[in-house]
Amino acid sequence: MAHESTSAIYTAAGANLAIAAAKFVGAFLTGSSAMMAEGVHSVVDTTNQILLLIGLKRAGRPATATHPFGYGREVYFYAFIVALFIFLGGGAFAIYEGIHKLRHPEPAADAMLFGHHVSGFWVNVAILGFAVLAEGYSCFVALKAFWSEKGSRPPLAAIRRSKDPALFTVLAEDVAALMGLVVALAGVILARVLDMPSLDGWSSIGIGLILVGMAVFLMIETHGLLIGEAADPELVAAIRAVVRGEAGVHHVNAVLTQHLGPSDVLVNVSLDMDDDLSAGEIEAMVARVEARLKARSPDVTRVFIEVQARASATARPVPA
């Protein structure tokens, strides 16, 4: 999924950069607090996409003596930083800006464009409309890539099971951005219709709460990946089936897996084997199992097999 993730990130970065410029122009011309909050949100999103690209680039570095399993978890680290940025740079700022607007409510100021007065209300509506279209296209690209990965799983379950934080982070950002735009548009329209400028501040607070909620969700998801998550239960079951099918295997003591990156799974297997097998036969079995596991899943990159008596293995509790 690396290609799909990268394409979605580039699309999102381009869209957010254009949207940020438009929003800041609108905020400058009209003094809208919700527009300012949305502009900062778009800048934060653009920065986040750059961070995700850096994470993907660094994660692709080859293994070294100091990092023998490679740098795959770099993308998890950068995804966690992105979640912090959304929380602080987007959510917290929007809430602060909204509270400030509630204390000092002002109607949207008219703008001067090419020597003509233009209603600040229509400037904000036009910019938010453009932002909805641009963000909607970015969300469509991310959703298309995510849909091809999730398979038959429900969307939320697929995110919880996904090992590609770059992809679901971009998707979550785009969804949060669209929700924020709807809130901002509602705030601008209601402030005009009801003649209540304070509603602009409330919409900014609403945007902030959406971003904070999304950031907390992403922090929880990336935290699990950062400290190490097992492979999907389907893959673990397939590993057990492959190993059990080998002649001379009396018992599978344990199957331990861990994602070292989105497409980098470490497999450790403990087996109780026939004592009459020679070293050569065990060596051949290990080679067969490794080849079959890598053929079964390209994400399996390293396989370690430990041969030990079942009694010894059960003496120290290990997860199945």
Side-chain angles (χ1 to χ4, degrees):
M1 292 302 297
H3 173 69
E4 288 85 348
S5 299
T6 304
S7 299
I9 293 171
Y10 276 120
T11 301
N16 282 316
L17 196 58
I19 292 169
K23 288 175 180 175
F24 279 130
V25 169
F28 175 76
L29 294 175
T30 66
S32 169
S33 175
M35 190 68 74
M36 175 63 73
E38 276 292 310
V40 172
H41 172 205
S42 294
V43 169
V44 170
D45 279 354
T46 305
T47 304
N48 289 343
Q49 272 103 49
I50 294 172
L51 287 173
L52 288 174
L53 288 172
I54 292 173
L56 287 172
K57 179 72 174 176
R58 292 179 63 84
R61 290 181 296 168
T64 63
T66 54
H67 293 84
F69 291 107
Y71 294 83
R73 285 185 180 166
E74 286 266 20
V75 69
Y76 299 154
F77 169 76
Y78 279 91
F80 190 81
I81 295 299
V82 163
L84 289 177
F85 265 53
I86 296 173
F87 184 91
L88 298 174
F93 177 83
I95 293 173
Y96 168 80
E97 185 68 18
I99 292 173
H100 175 76
K101 191 71 173 184
L102 288 177
R103 291 176 176 174
H104 309 283
E106 294 179 6
D110 290 344
M112 180 69 70
L113 294 176
F114 307 109
H116 299 281
H117 283 281
V118 180
S119 168
F121 169 75
W122 288 112
V123 170
N124 285 336
V125 169
I127 291 174
L128 287 173
F130 163 74
V132 168
L133 292 176
E135 200 69 65
Y137 175 72
S138 173
C139 189
F140 170 76
V141 172
L143 192 60
K144 183 180 177 182
F146 173 73
W147 223 257
S148 68
E149 180 190 89
K150 84 175 190 66
S152 59
R153 297 171 183 159
L156 186 58
I159 291 176
R160 300 300 305 271
R161 298 272 292 273
S162 175
K163 311 303 179 185
D164 186 356
L167 184 55
F168 69 68
T169 297
V170 170
L171 179 60
E173 281 185 340
D174 286 343
V175 170
L178 283 174
M179 293 171 64
L181 287 169
V182 171
V183 171
L185 196 56
V188 168
I189 293 174
L190 290 175
R192 169 67 176 263
V193 172
L194 301 177
D195 193 23
M196 294 177 61
S198 61
L199 291 177
D200 187 47
W202 283 114
S203 66
S204 181
I205 293 174
I207 293 168
L209 293 176
I210 290 171
L211 296 178
V212 167
M214 189 61 71
V216 170
F217 173 75
L218 290 175
M219 285 179 190
I220 293 172
E221 292 303 310
T222 53
H223 170 261
L225 293 169
L226 191 59
I227 63 175
E229 280 190 4
D232 283 341
E234 291 90 344
L235 178 56
V236 176
I239 293 170
R240 283 186 170 277
V242 167
V243 175
R244 281 173 178 158
E246 286 292 328
V249 175
H250 290 317
H251 185 259
V252 181
N253 300 323
V255 175
L256 305 177
T257 61
Q258 189 172 101
H259 266 271
L260 303 177
S263 301
D264 186 356
V265 178
L266 170 68
V267 176
N268 294 272
V269 182
S270 171
L271 301 175
D272 182 1
M273 302 195 65
D274 191 336
D275 294 337
D276 295 333
L277 291 176
S278 66
E281 289 172 322
I282 293 177
E283 194 175 89
M285 183 276 296
V286 169
R288 283 196 308 272
V289 168
E290 182 172 1
R292 291 178 65 188
L293 291 181
K294 289 182 177 180
R296 167 65 175 73
S297 173
D299 290 347
V300 175
T301 54
R302 298 170 182 83
V303 179
F304 296 95
I305 296 179
E306 179 182 17
V307 179
Q308 60 180 158
R310 182 176 182 179
S312 300
T314 54
R316 48 172 190 175
V318 235

